[in-house]
């Protein structure tokens, strides 16, 4: 029977299995496993393998040389980004917890990246981002405080060159984004982010069903 417009298809067990298969399609190595273990021990959530693979693909597609990351964590997403970037590319990564950035430094070294491939800046993202160069970035990856996501978007639009990419991780918020029940402010902020990006005249967007949802958008020239 044909699906009626506006109806959602039932998510079958086979479909869930397919999504899980897709999310684990790209194998991860010891450097990534080490970084994931450090995040788990610290009680931090890392991007899924599928999200990491998508970030690597997007960085490679953009031939990214200059990338900004909000939320270093222990380096899981950073390794994926660096592996997609040009060999001479530099990742600028910001986090409020410098002790986590030390784990990321070690993870980057274990992954084979020299020290000049990453610039670590400790501090709150909205204090750091205004100091970065206008129009100087090929990709901005946002995995920080969801309450600040709209501010991250505004800063990203300033930072990106025409044709640059902005990506937001975790926009499904563990299913709460589409849950009709009353939700906390951070979920309402994510919903506003999704509406803003979808309706923007300066962004071409897509929502990828990997991990906990990856919102991606290209800044039009």
């Amino acid at each position: 029977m044909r699906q009626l417009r506006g109806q959602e298809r039932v998510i079958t067990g086979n479909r869930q299995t397919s999504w899980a298969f897709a999310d684990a399609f790209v194998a991860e190595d010891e450097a990534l496993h080490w970084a994931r273990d450090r995040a788990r021990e610290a009680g931090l959530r890392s991007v899924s393998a599928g999200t990491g693979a998508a970030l690597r693909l997007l960085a490679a597609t953009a031939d990214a040389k200059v990338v900004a990351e909000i939320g270093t964590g222990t380096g899981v997403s950073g390794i994926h980004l660096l592996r997609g970037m040009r060999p001479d590319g530099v990742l600028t990564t910001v986090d409020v917890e410098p002790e986590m950035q030390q784990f990321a430094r070690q993870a980057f070294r274990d992954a084979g990246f020299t020290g000049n491939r990453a610039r670590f800046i400790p501090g709150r993202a909205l204090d750091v981002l205004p100091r970065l160069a206008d129009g100087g970035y090929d990709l901005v990856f946002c995995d920080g405080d969801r309450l600040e996501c709209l501010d991250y978007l505004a800063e990203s639009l300033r930072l990106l060159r025409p044709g640059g990419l902005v990506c937001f991780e975790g926009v499904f918020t563990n299913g709460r984004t589409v849950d009709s029940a009353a939700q906390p402010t951070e979920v309402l902020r994510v919903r506003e982010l999704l509406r803003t990006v979808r309706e923007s005249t300066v962004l071409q967007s897509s929502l990828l069903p990997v991990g906990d949802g990856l919102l991606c958008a290209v800044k039009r020239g």
Side-chain angles (χ1 to χ4, degrees), residues 48-155:
S48 73
T51 299
L55 291 172
R56 183 171 65 185
L57 178 67
L58 291 168
T61 301
D63 195 27
K65 182 178 180 180
V66 187
V67 173
E69 175 184 48
I70 300 170
T72 309
T74 57
V76 175
S77 54
I79 290 175
H80 281 290
L81 287 166
L82 284 164
R83 286 180 172 163
M85 293 166 63
R86 290 169 45 170
D88 59 343
V90 176
L91 172 69
T92 296
T93 182
V94 182
D95 202 290
V96 293
E97 299 187 50
E99 61 273 21
M100 294 298 104
Q101 290 186 318
Q102 294 305 313
F103 288 129
R105 287 181 191 273
Q106 180 63 51
F108 291 178
R109 285 194 295 268
D110 292 347
F113 298 109
T114 57
N116 62 353
R117 292 295 309 279
R119 177 171 61 147
F120 293 88
I121 306 179
R124 182 171 169 264
L126 294 181
D127 294 331
V128 174
L129 295 177
R131 307 203 303 262
L132 304 183
D134 292 7
Y137 289 79
D138 302 306
L139 190 155
V140 179
F141 173 55
C142 305
D143 188 15
D145 187 344
R146 289 179 178 134
L147 292 173
E148 298 177 343
C149 61
L150 288 164
D151 298 306
Y152 298 160
L153 176 63
E155 286 294 330

Side-chain angles (χ1 to χ4, degrees), residues 132-138 156-162 219:
L132 304 183
D134 292 7
Y137 289 79
D138 302 306
S156 297
L157 288 174
R158 179 184 63 80
L159 293 173
L160 287 171
R161 62 166 173 80
K219 181 180 177 180

